[in-house]
Every structure is written in C-alpha cells, then in structure tokens.
Amino acid sequence: MLYSEKVMDHFRNPRNVGEIENADGVGEVGNAKCGDIMKVYLKIDNDMVSDVKFKTFGCGSAIAASSMATEMIKGKPISEVLTLTNKAVVEALDGLPAHKIHCSVLAEEAVKAAVKDYYDKNGIAYDPEKFCDGNCECCHEHDGEE
C-alpha cells in the first residue's frame, strides 16, 4: 500500500475545508509542475490561530497534507505556527511516498504565506528567514534585487 491510513483518512475526510471571510491572513501557493494549488485562510486572535481553513486543488496527498497542516496549527500561537515544517506534516501523516513529499512542502509554504500576509496587512515586522529557507518561490521573486 502506497498511502498510510492517516493519509487516506485526511484525504477522505479532510478537516478545515473551506474559506474564512475577512481572514486575517491568506496564503496561496502553487506548483505548476504538478498542478497543485493550496490556499490557507487564518483567523488570528491575540496572536493565536483561532480558526484555519484551506482550499486545495490537487491530488490526494496535497489534500491530506493541507488537512493535516491545518490541524497542526489550529489553536497554536503564531510563533509556534512558524516552526511548522513539511517533515512534521509528513511524520504526522505517517509518511508520504517520495514523489509526493512536495505536497507537504506546499502545505508548509501555504501556512507561512498566510502568516506573512497577516504580518504585512498589520504592519508587523518579521524576520524574512522565518518564512524561507532560500528554496521557495518567495525568495526567487527577489532574485537580483538589492
């Protein structure tokens, strides 16, 4: 079997699907290569994620990774949300096939993009390195800029 029970469960019964009107932060990321697009909506109260929803257009692994990532950050302080890694998402799902690991990377990037959007909307200063390891799209947008 390629997929763990947890992956199948989060694919068949995804948690936190939908969108939040007037969300405090929205992050959308996509991978043109595989066609997956993830959008994460955050409601933030007192520096805590009080609600989170997602919409994912993609494969079962992308949906499962989105669902698990939202479960992992709900009710958590933003500082903790920013420590979410794709590895943690994969572990929480009891693994993903190697060719589907990029789905967990998208989930991490979508969550961080939503937090960054929240910071930008509210004029909150942040360390750009918390959002990027140098390999994501946000870094490549600024290539060549000083």
Side-chain angles (χ1 to χ4, degrees):
M1 186 173 101
L2 273 178
Y3 297 102
S4 71
E5 280 300 314
K6 278 192 187 167
V7 171
M8 294 309 295
D9 181 41
H10 276 269
F11 166 63
R12 290 189 185 115
N13 309 294
R15 283 60 148 185
N16 309 306
V17 174
E19 54 190 285
I20 298 172
E21 273 192 51
N22 305 315
D24 295 310
V26 180
E28 183 170 6
V29 297
N31 182 327
K33 198 167 52 194
C34 64
D36 293 330
I37 299 167
M38 285 181 195
K39 198 166 191 176
V40 171
Y41 303 81
L42 299 176
K43 196 79 187 150
I44 296 172
D45 294 302
N46 298 324
D47 244 19
M48 303 279 279
V49 175
S50 59
D51 196 12
V52 56
K53 299 269 187 243
F54 79 90
K55 284 186 151 183
T56 292
F57 176 82
C59 66
S61 295
I63 291 164
S66 303
S67 173
M68 181 57 83
T70 60
E71 284 286 277
M72 292 170 76
I73 66 169
K74 200 172 197 172
K76 299 281 194 300
I78 292 176
S79 57
E80 201 176 313
V81 170
L82 287 174
T83 66
L84 179 77
T85 64
N86 73 294
K87 285 184 182 65
V89 173
V90 170
E91 284 171 17
L93 287 169
D94 293 337
L96 281 173
H99 67 284
K100 293 295 184 180
I101 295 295
H102 68 271
C103 296
S104 65
V105 173
L106 279 179
E108 174 190 341
E109 287 180 1
V111 166
K112 289 182 176 174
V115 173
K116 185 175 180 295
D117 181 54
Y118 166 71
Y119 282 170
D120 289 342
K121 282 179 179 168
N122 292 280
I124 299 168
Y126 56 85
D127 175 358
E129 291 188 1
K130 279 195 165 51
F131 294 93
C132 199
D133 58 8
N135 295 320
C136 66
E137 289 176 26
C138 67
C139 291
H140 304 303
E141 287 173 16
H142 305 295
D143 283 353
E145 289 178 22
E146 282 305 318

